[in-house]
Amino acid sequence: MKIRLANKRDIEQLIKMRWDFTLEDYPEMGEGVKFSSFENECRRFLGTAIDSSKWFVWVAEKNGQIISHIYVELIQKVPRPGRVTHPFAYMTNVYTVPEYRGKGTGSKLLSRVNEWAEEKKLEFIIVWPSETSNEFYGRNGYTHCAEPMERHF
């Protein structure tokens, strides 16, 4: 298994995985939605994200196939007097294809992301786990924090 940052050659696989990931948990979201319209939107996002210095898409690959991925967005903090300000990261879209779950694939990928975050001197990584993924994150050193506040529009 090879762990690396995604590149533009990975876009087709990443689009399909995002579609599969969503419909696995929320099958109703695919009702009445054409894959082609989703594909176009996702292709634009990924093309921009992969070229940016803000998004980092980490993948685990086996025999040329992406079997797991993690998306990380860097969030710059406003500087504060008297201390060096480091960004933090928002981690999302953490997914391993079903046949590779429970075999350490996701943990190996997450471990590499954690190493990278330390190398980049990120202050912290935040993730909003699903109920079913709480155990996975706990095994990998993540802890619950106070709930953030939000406002929907």
Side-chain angles (χ1 to χ4, degrees), residues 110-145:
L110 184 54
S111 177
R112 179 62 188 109
V113 170
N114 291 338
E115 289 170 6
W116 170 81
E118 285 185 44
E119 292 164 8
K120 300 278 282 177
K121 297 184 169 99
L122 300 184
E123 188 169 334
F124 60 89
I125 298 175
I126 190 165
V127 61
W128 277 274
S130 65
E131 266 186 47
T132 57
S133 63
N134 277 319
E135 183 182 334
F136 167 74
Y137 290 108
R139 282 193 321 264
N140 287 284
Y142 285 72
T143 59
H144 285 282
C145 60

Side-chain angles (χ1 to χ4, degrees), residues 3 58-60 68-70 104-113:
I3 295 175
W58 286 90
V59 298
S68 187
H69 58 61
I70 295 175
T105 302
S107 290
K108 287 176 188 166
L109 182 56
L110 184 54
S111 177
R112 179 62 188 109
V113 170

Side-chain angles (χ1 to χ4, degrees), residues 27-38:
E28 69 279 2
M29 291 184 79
E31 294 173 13
V33 176
K34 291 183 180 176
F35 179 79
S36 59
S37 62
F38 163 76

Side-chain angles (χ1 to χ4, degrees), residues 1 11 16 19 23 35 51 53 71 83 85 87 92 95 97 115-116 122 125 128 130-131 139:
M1 178 174 61
I11 288 177
K16 179 70 167 80
W19 177 266
L23 297 187
F35 179 79
D51 281 343
S53 59
Y71 289 54
R83 70 180 234 204
T85 305
T92 188
Y95 179 71
V97 295
E115 289 170 6
W116 170 81
L122 300 184
I125 298 175
W128 277 274
S130 65
E131 266 186 47
R139 282 193 321 264

